[in-house]
Amino acid sequence: MFEKKNLIISIVMLICALALSGCSSKSDNSNNGSSSASKPGGSLKVAYPAQPTSLDPHLTTANATRDPARHIFETLVTLNSKFEVTPMLAESYEVSKDRKKVTFVLRKGVKFHNGKEMKAEDVIASMTKWQEGAVAKANLGNSKWEAEDEYTVILHVETPSIVLLPVLAEVGQFAAIMPKEVIESADTSGITEYIGTGPFKFVEWKQNQYVHLKKFDDYQASSQPADGLAGKKEALVDDIYFHFVTDNSTRVAGMISGEYDLSVMMPWDAAPQFENVSSLETIQAPLGIHTLIFNKQNGFLKNVKARQAVNLAIDKKEVLTAAVTDGYFRLDPGYMLKEQGLWYTDTGKEIYEAKDTEKAKQLLKEAGYNGEELRILTSRDYSQHYNSAVAVQQQLQKIGMNVKLDVVDWSTLLDRRNKPDQWEMFFTSWPVSATPLQYPFLDSRAKFAGWTNNPEIDKLLNQIKAQSSQDKAKETFSELQRVIWEDMPVVNIGAYDSISVKANKVKGYQEFLGPVLWNTTAKE
């Protein structure tokens, strides 16, 4: 028997699959999951727009960590192309009738890159460390992990939740399984050895230049067909290099000249240049939502009227036009994409669409604004963030706000955004997730940068988790989206797509919530 899934979760993910199928991933099916028509070997050179602060996926939601790390580490469960929760390092899982216990049976013979076999003690050490992270803490609370035997792990759930398994399969700040010894030697800055069970193993990180991964010859692939992030994975290239190329024009030139094989998150205005190069192919895929995060712990924007004033002053179409190019965004108040019918709602549309500079000025006055400087922390490493920051700075200056851009590299931004005395606003984007509860900027327990602390939001999040049906969960989420638009912990600017570019010789490449480089060849 493959598994006994919790009925509710099954229904949820099935409907989600129908809603999302075909909207959240793009792939080159010429070689997906099969080596029969491929030419394995060689190296794959990826031009990546930012350098991570760490390759420890337990620590951060940053894509710059997620994208290399997903090739090194694996999770108990993951998402297939239809957003269904699917076993990965677990052979199967079973949810008890009262939803207070989940039993995972581990696959036998799975080896870490150091040659050790993965067993229950490694899973417990890894999940306990991961559970200290923002998203996990918000959703699992004080849930406990227990080894029943070497290949069976039990999760004792503190509070049954409709989103528990999707959280375990989440792709950002993901629940990577590592050797127990690696976990025990970690400090507050994360693990010091990058040892996982994935199809590629870590070789070298040359700061400001590249991360080098190498094919793991002893990789134990799943017997299931390749599907999204699930199923059979094959390392069909010997080496992967994530080259950190923060300058957009350099990445564009590098793709056109053939210096690189693949680049993700390319500048939207460069798309016409690629269309004229016969050796290249562009891939457009939904990226998620674009948000302006407010610091609610320190400074002027602690005041909700100040945040509402900023929303009224922002021309969202102008911001998105500056961030991306027409044809790659849409104006939408939803915190879930419109294609995600399971969750999508336009509640708060009238607040989203409102633009009233005179009312914004009045709210600033009521909030006691005296002309103090407000900083937008931003980085040129992500052009959409930087261009959005420039546009918003200009719009806020028009209502008399003294706004300064604080421009740093992305790694520095990730560090400084956790320090409440160093910024007032920053832009970031959120990839498509299976549920809205995976946004760390909502739950006060997550303590994500911006430090949302609204008891009403926390209460509604808990109500969604406790609902017994998807319809009731969606109804409660609609209430939650109303509160978000009124309290304004962040401003959703709108939804937009990403552009990646690959050389034609790259076969089997897939995008699913980020680049997927297994089952991919790069040899002529």
Side-chain angles (χ1 to χ4, degrees):
M1 184 68 180
F2 177 61
E3 61 198 0
K4 296 178 181 177
K5 295 183 179 180
N6 175 279
L7 177 60
I8 294 172
I9 293 295
S10 296
I11 294 171
V12 167
M13 300 317 297
L14 177 60
I15 299 172
C16 186
L18 295 173
L20 286 166
S21 179
C23 78
S24 295
S25 66
K26 293 283 185 179
S27 63
D28 172 358
N29 293 321
S30 59
N31 188 38
N32 193 11
S34 171
S35 61
S36 60
S38 65
K39 294 181 179 179
S43 63
L44 181 65
K45 294 173 287 184
V46 181
Y48 199 82
Q51 179 169 230
T53 54
S54 169
L55 289 180
D56 185 345
H58 292 172
L59 293 182
T60 176
T61 60
N63 293 350
T65 295
R66 176 199 67 187
D67 291 345
R70 63 165 46 174
H71 299 88
I72 304 170
F73 303 104
E74 296 179 302
T75 50
L76 289 175
V77 293
T78 190
L79 299 174
N80 66 19
S81 62
K82 297 177 180 177
F83 279 69
E84 295 168 321
V85 176
T86 305
M88 174 47 65
L89 290 177
E91 182 176 282
S92 65
Y93 63 84
E94 179 178 354
V95 183
S96 63
K97 289 183 179 178
D98 61 4
R99 299 192 293 164
K100 292 185 177 179
K101 188 170 83 171
V102 185
T103 302
F104 297 91
V105 176
L106 306 181
R107 287 165 50 204
K108 294 181 180 177
V110 174
K111 290 184 179 180
F112 288 110
H113 300 153
N114 62 4
K116 173 188 169 184
E117 185 183 9
M118 177 199 68
K119 293 186 177 177
E121 62 176 9
D122 305 303
V123 173
I124 291 173
S126 298
M127 299 306 284
T128 301
K129 175 178 175 292
W130 167 75
Q131 203 168 313
E132 297 170 357
V135 174
K137 187 179 297 180
N139 286 283
L140 273 75
N142 293 315
S143 299
K144 302 295 183 186
W145 297 83
E146 176 192 11
E148 184 172 273
D149 57 44
E150 285 190 333
Y151 298 101
T152 307
V153 174
I154 298 173
L155 170 60
H156 296 281
V157 182
E158 181 183 45
T159 305
S161 168
I162 198 170
V163 299
L164 176 66
L165 286 170
V167 169
L168 293 176
E170 177 57 69
V171 299
Q173 200 162 11
F174 66 87
I177 304 301
M178 309 166 188
K180 178 185 175 185
E181 298 75 18
V182 170
I183 298 295
E184 290 174 342
S185 65
D187 55 28
T188 54
S189 63
I191 55 175
T192 56
E193 295 179 280
Y194 303 120
I195 298 175
T197 61
F200 293 92
K201 60 183 180 181
F202 174 81
V203 177
E204 180 185 21
W205 181 350
K206 201 158 188 175
Q207 286 291 327
N208 301 315
Q209 294 188 44
Y210 59 78
V211 163
H212 175 199
L213 309 182
K214 194 169 189 62
K215 176 181 179 180
F216 178 40
D217 291 329
D218 292 331
Y219 178 67
Q220 304 294 311
S222 165
S223 60
Q224 300 297 316
D227 185 8
L229 299 177
K232 186 176 182 180
K233 301 176 184 176
E234 288 187 275
L236 297 178
V237 295
D238 295 330
D239 300 275
I240 297 175
Y241 289 87
F242 284 87
H243 293 275
F244 305 123
V245 187
T246 57
D247 180 71
N248 282 336
S249 59
T250 302
R251 280 194 297 135
V252 170
M255 286 303 303
I256 292 175
S257 70
E259 182 177 0
Y260 305 113
D261 303 313
L262 171 72
S263 187
V264 298
M265 291 179 277
M266 296 299 282
W268 291 264
D269 58 4
Q273 298 181 59
F274 300 129
E275 291 172 1
N276 295 324
V277 182
S278 61
S279 60
L280 298 177
E281 177 186 344
T282 59
I283 300 170
Q284 181 176 347
L287 180 62
I289 61 171
H290 192 44
T291 56
L292 176 62
I293 308 287
F294 294 119
N295 184 343
K296 299 165 290 295
Q297 185 175 109
N298 193 59
F300 178 63
L301 293 171
K302 289 169 60 179
N303 190 313
V304 64
K305 289 186 177 180
R307 302 195 295 271
Q308 291 169 340
V310 171
N311 178 61
L312 284 170
I314 290 177
D315 184 325
K316 297 179 179 67
K317 183 176 182 180
E318 191 173 290
V319 174
L320 286 170
T321 302
V324 301
T325 305
D326 277 342
Y328 298 102
F329 71 82
R330 64 173 176 238
L331 295 164
D332 196 318
Y335 278 79
M336 299 297 280
L337 297 185
K338 190 168 286 185
E339 293 87 344
Q340 295 175 276
L342 194 63
W343 291 102
Y344 176 78
T345 172
D346 66 355
T347 299
K349 181 179 179 182
E350 71 281 4
I351 302 174
Y352 173 80
E353 293 179 342
K355 185 175 183 305
D356 188 333
T357 54
E358 291 307 311
K359 188 174 180 180
K361 291 176 183 176
Q362 179 61 36
L363 285 172
L364 284 180
K365 185 177 179 181
E366 294 174 13
Y369 185 60
N370 61 11
E372 63 261 47
E373 183 178 85
L374 302 176
R375 298 158 295 181
I376 302 179
L377 186 62
T378 190
S379 171
R380 289 189 175 88
D381 292 357
Y382 289 98
S383 62
Q384 71 272 31
H385 298 167
Y386 177 76
N387 292 338
S388 297
V390 172
V392 165
Q393 179 194 31
Q394 294 170 351
Q395 292 171 6
L396 296 184
Q397 286 173 339
K398 290 178 180 177
I399 62 168
M401 297 182 76
N402 179 14
V403 179
K404 169 192 172 185
L405 295 188
D406 194 354
V407 184
V408 297
D409 63 79
W410 184 245
S411 294
T412 302
L413 186 150
L414 292 177
D415 177 57
R416 288 180 56 183
R417 77 181 187 183
N418 292 319
K419 300 172 181 174
D421 63 338
Q422 298 198 8
W423 59 276
E424 279 74 42
M425 294 172 271
F426 74 89
F427 272 97
T428 194
S429 55
W430 300 93
V432 178
S433 292
T435 83
L437 276 72
Q438 287 153 268
Y439 290 130
F441 57 78
L442 292 177
D443 197 317
S444 65
R445 289 162 293 194
K447 301 187 186 307
F448 181 77
W451 304 280
T452 299
N453 188 14
N454 183 319
E456 182 69 11
I457 290 177
D458 288 343
K459 185 185 77 174
L460 290 167
L461 288 171
N462 290 336
Q463 288 180 1
I464 292 171
K465 295 174 190 173
Q467 295 295 5
S468 58
S469 73
Q470 179 57 36
D471 285 345
K472 291 180 180 177
K474 180 178 180 179
E475 186 178 324
T476 309
F477 174 62
S478 180
E479 292 179 48
L480 173 60
Q481 187 163 298
R482 164 69 63 188
V483 175
I484 296 170
W485 276 112
E486 291 173 348
D487 185 62
M488 215 73 71
V490 307
V491 173
N492 175 19
I493 306 298
Y496 66 118
D497 296 344
S498 67
I499 297 177
S500 298
V501 181
K502 73 175 186 68
N504 289 337
K505 69 176 183 178
V506 176
K507 304 294 185 185
Y509 173 68
Q510 176 190 192
E511 287 210 6
F512 184 76
L513 306 176
V516 178
L517 303 179
W518 53 82
N519 304 336
T520 298
T521 58
K523 204 171 181 180
E524 297 283 6

